[in-house]
Amino acid sequence: MKLSLGFSLVILCINFAAYADVKLFTLRPSKSHFEYLIPVREGYHFIDELNLYKNSIRGNSDLSSAVTTLQLEQFRLGQIRELTNERISQVLILANRGSDLGMPLDVGGQARIKKLSEKLSNSTSLVVMPLAIGIHLNDADRIDFYEKISLNFSGVIALGGADVSPDLYNEENSRSRDINLTRDKFEIEFLKHWIKKGKGFLYGICRGHQLIAVALGFKLIQHIDSHGDKEWENHKIIFQETRYNIFKKIFNAKLLSIRVNSYHHQAVQFSNHNPEIELAAVATDGVAESLISKDGRIFTTQFHPEFMDGFFSKRFFSYLNNKFKGGVNISCQHLFRQ
């Protein structure tokens, strides 16, 4: 009996995917670095995978413009451990800058990650997912890599950074700057997989807020004024009534607004196309400052709580610490409803 070419390819892909076997390891190049997540395929040695990743970065015009030679040199062999599903809460930091790879903490290259680590609980283990780490993997291995992440991490934090490429939301570039389509494609692919699996909490900051919104089908406003395009701004945000009422849960009070920091020139173009995502806070000029899924598993802020102190920061990160304590096992595929 003859099989059609299309059906044969489907069977081939299924069999190929079934043999994908990727283990998770972490690398700490020096005591000044955080741990980095490295996928190691069956039949490969750790050092081989590390070199394949670095060579793939060098060989890609987009990514090589984002990572310097010095940063790649500092992203070297060091302390290695295999990652297991431990009792401690493990949170994955989605990195997007070359400086996240190699610059030691005392130089300041990882200052924003350091700020997060200071705010989060000591019982939370932070692991950094390097920029475009799956670039050297084939499709089946990369999906298996994402599957293993969903089994081993209770949460993901998408960091702030440069503009998101408008290619991802099907628009021409009008006012976007410093875009890197290759980087963005790897991040958006991972975020969509994490959201669909629905086994953990997802939090996005600034660029992370915008990137998660794009993964959920929203578009971005490519430029706004007076929100800290060149320097930090301070302004008021107004809390919105939502099913989950995230800010009431954080503050356990009847606060209607609070002042936050701001350093961005792009914003989420909020609409009602996705009924599972609600607007949790807006600036006084209507800019979307926070999104929340109706089940509370996805939360984003345009502002940077990691660079805030006092009452707000203490309550905010107390809430995040509680959310990162355990994973969730209910599918979130409905979040992609158009």
Side-chain angles (χ1 to χ4, degrees):
M1 180 178 179
K2 293 184 178 180
L3 296 175
S4 69
L5 177 59
F7 185 73
S8 298
L9 288 175
V10 169
I11 295 298
L12 179 61
C13 289
I14 291 173
N15 288 336
F16 183 55
Y19 287 104
D21 186 15
V22 177
K23 296 184 183 300
L24 303 185
F25 283 80
T26 66
L27 166 67
R28 192 173 186 184
S30 74
K31 291 182 179 179
S32 297
H33 288 81
F34 288 100
E35 288 187 292
Y36 299 91
L37 187 66
I38 307 293
V40 178
R41 293 166 290 179
E42 184 177 13
Y44 285 77
H45 293 291
F46 184 94
I47 186 63
D48 296 330
E49 296 283 54
L50 182 62
N51 287 333
L52 280 170
Y53 167 68
K54 292 166 71 173
N55 288 335
S56 296
I57 294 288
R58 294 187 185 99
N60 182 281
S61 58
D62 270 358
L63 298 178
S64 61
S65 68
V67 184
T68 68
T69 300
L70 178 60
Q71 287 160 357
L72 278 180
E73 287 175 353
Q74 291 179 327
F75 194 61
R76 60 188 183 274
L77 204 60
Q79 183 179 347
I80 301 166
R81 73 179 177 98
E82 184 172 359
L83 201 62
T84 58
N85 196 355
E86 302 167 359
R87 292 182 182 275
I88 189 171
S89 175
Q90 296 186 131
V91 175
L92 188 64
I93 305 295
L94 188 58
N96 55 62
R97 293 177 179 169
S99 58
D100 295 324
L101 287 180
M103 300 301 286
L105 297 177
D106 56 358
V107 180
Q110 296 178 343
R112 61 205 184 125
I113 303 176
K114 186 173 185 291
K115 280 288 185 181
L116 277 173
S117 71
E118 291 170 349
K119 302 282 186 179
L120 291 170
S121 168
N122 290 333
S123 63
T124 299
S125 174
L126 292 183
V127 179
V128 180
M129 185 174 182
L131 175 107
I133 186 59
I135 188 173
H136 62 295
L137 305 179
N138 62 41
D139 290 346
D141 287 330
R142 200 165 59 252
I143 294 303
D144 189 53
F145 175 43
Y146 299 158
E147 287 285 327
K148 298 294 174 53
I149 290 174
S150 70
L151 294 174
N152 284 274
F153 287 87
S154 61
V156 170
I157 300 176
L159 294 174
D163 292 353
V164 178
S165 173
D167 287 71
L168 296 183
Y169 49 95
N170 299 316
E171 285 193 359
E172 295 292 327
N173 185 359
S174 57
R175 305 288 294 276
S176 298
R177 305 191 295 251
D178 302 321
I179 58 176
N180 191 308
L181 183 57
T182 303
R183 172 199 61 200
D184 293 355
K185 282 182 175 178
F186 277 101
E187 290 183 44
I188 212 88
E189 178 186 64
F190 166 70
L191 286 173
K192 285 183 175 182
H193 191 276
W194 177 265
I195 292 169
K196 283 184 177 180
K197 294 300 293 184
K199 290 189 175 181
F201 184 66
L202 175 60
Y203 173 57
I205 304 170
C206 198
R207 166 189 160 84
H209 157 76
Q210 297 169 8
L211 192 67
I212 291 168
V214 171
L216 291 164
F218 295 94
K219 295 180 181 293
L220 302 183
I221 301 168
Q222 294 194 41
H223 181 78
I224 56 173
D225 295 314
S226 304
H227 273 259
D229 188 10
K230 302 298 182 183
E231 59 185 20
W232 288 97
E233 297 282 348
N234 185 272
H235 64 86
K236 184 169 76 171
I237 64 170
I238 304 164
F239 305 148
Q240 305 295 293
E241 283 290 327
T242 65
R243 179 187 294 179
Y244 197 74
N245 276 329
I246 180 72
F247 288 105
K248 284 187 178 179
K249 291 181 184 293
I250 290 173
F251 296 112
N252 193 26
K254 293 183 178 180
L255 285 176
L256 300 178
S257 66
I258 198 165
R259 296 194 71 82
V260 298
N261 54 19
S262 185
Y263 192 90
H264 65 102
H265 80 108
Q266 298 201 309
V268 173
Q269 184 176 323
F270 184 77
S271 65
N272 293 320
H273 86 280
N274 191 327
E276 298 300 323
I277 304 297
E278 296 182 291
L279 187 62
V282 296
T284 53
D285 59 1
V287 168
E289 288 285 337
S290 178
L291 302 179
I292 183 75
S293 62
K294 287 184 177 179
D295 59 14
R297 295 186 184 112
I298 300 174
F299 178 43
T300 68
T301 59
Q302 181 62 72
F303 54 92
H304 289 263
E306 77 276 26
F307 290 110
M308 297 174 68
D309 294 307
F311 167 76
F312 177 90
S313 179
K314 183 177 180 180
R315 296 302 299 264
F316 191 91
F317 281 94
S318 175
Y319 176 82
L320 288 186
N321 282 323
N322 286 331
K323 294 299 290 185
F324 288 136
K325 281 183 179 177
V328 181
N329 295 309
I330 301 175
S331 173
C332 291
Q333 292 192 28
H334 59 283
L335 294 172
F336 286 85
R337 186 184 305 149
Q338 298 296 319

